[in-house]
Amino acid sequence: MAESSSHQQQPVASPSPPPPAPISQTPGLRASRLTQVFDQALARTLRANSYANFAGCFPTPARHVPASLEGVWRQLNAKLEANAKAEFEEIIAERDAIPHLNELDRLVGDARVRKEQGGENHDIQERAVPHTLGAEDLYKAHLTPFLQEAQSTLNTRLEATNTENTELAQTVQAQRLEIEQLLSRLGLVVSDIEGAAAAATQFSKEHHIRQDAVQMDEEVRARPGL
């Protein structure tokens, strides 16, 4: 009797599938690739704004105060890099991109495994009558709608990822345009400074001639008999 009671108390395995594993916050394959693409695009942007190109827009400061101009260039590039990375990280956090991309990696892997397993039994399922199939074959047959739903979800998330990548590319392009506008404004400022310096030099010369004329007039008046 004790053996029978012990046998009846053995736990029965649950027919429900185990819950999915928690999504990791560590960047997976697609998340790492997204970060790599962003870093490469940002590096190309910074290389395009080299000091040689920057100094070519401001020949006068480059000739007279090259150290100061190089400092401005370094600060500009550092600010651009910091702002771009901060905005990228903010977008990643707002969109919860890393868990979504990791989930996408998992779905793709599961779909690939299930497709391979389904392909092995495809010919058998075509020839077999449903009531002659075993439990495993019936399970795989009923799993097809879920696989189709997973594929649909995968396609939707892929489209969302492509949209986000496009938005990131547009953001980088807008920042490049902002740099070009800033360089243009700096050129206008330098032109204004050069014009002001030339006007100040001209005024100094004219003022000096006027002072000489006043002094000569005073000397003539001071002579006796005139």
Side-chain angles (χ1 to χ4, degrees), residues 1 19 27 52 81 85 88 96 99 101 105 119 121 146 153 159 163 196:
M1 294 293 292
E81 183 177 8
K85 288 184 176 180
F88 176 75
D96 207 15
L101 291 174
D105 290 340
N121 299 300
F146 299 99
T153 302
E159 292 178 0
T163 302

Side-chain angles (χ1 to χ4, degrees), residues 81-97:
E81 183 177 8
N83 289 345
K85 288 184 176 180
E87 186 172 356
F88 176 75
E89 292 175 358
E90 183 178 355
I91 293 173
I92 291 295
E94 287 180 355
R95 303 296 178 87
D96 207 15

Side-chain angles (χ1 to χ4, degrees), residues 35 44 50 72 80 84 92 111 130 154-155:
T35 302
R44 285 195 297 269
S50 64
V72 171
L80 171 62
I92 291 295
L154 175 62
N155 292 336

Side-chain angles (χ1 to χ4, degrees), residues 79-151:
K79 183 177 180 181
L80 171 62
E81 183 177 8
N83 289 345
K85 288 184 176 180
E87 186 172 356
F88 176 75
E89 292 175 358
E90 183 178 355
I91 293 173
I92 291 295
E94 287 180 355
R95 303 296 178 87
D96 207 15
I98 292 178
H100 283 80
L101 291 174
N102 289 347
E103 175 66 9
L104 180 60
D105 290 340
R106 187 188 67 80
L107 289 173
V108 171
D110 290 347
R112 184 180 294 112
V113 171
R114 291 170 180 172
K115 182 178 179 181
E116 292 174 354
Q117 292 177 348
E120 294 174 356
N121 299 300
H122 181 69
D123 295 336
I124 298 176
Q125 292 175 0
E126 284 184 348
R127 295 191 302 268
V129 181
H131 69 271
T132 62
L133 295 176
E136 183 178 357
D137 294 331
L138 286 173
Y139 170 76
K140 291 179 179 179
H142 285 290
L143 190 63
T144 301
F146 299 99
L147 291 176
Q148 293 174 345
E149 182 179 356
Q151 183 66 39

Side-chain angles (χ1 to χ4, degrees), residues 152-198:
S152 177
T153 302
L154 175 62
N155 292 336
T156 301
R157 294 185 177 181
L158 281 174
E159 292 178 0
T161 302
N162 291 333
T163 302
E164 291 177 1
N165 291 341
T166 301
E167 292 176 355
L168 289 174
Q170 292 175 351
T171 299
V172 173
Q173 182 65 24
Q175 290 174 346
R176 293 183 65 178
L177 293 176
E178 183 179 355
I179 292 175
E180 293 176 358
Q181 292 174 358
L182 179 60
L183 294 177
S184 178
R185 292 174 186 173
L186 287 175
L188 294 175
V189 171
V190 173
S191 298
D192 291 342
I193 293 175
E194 292 176 348

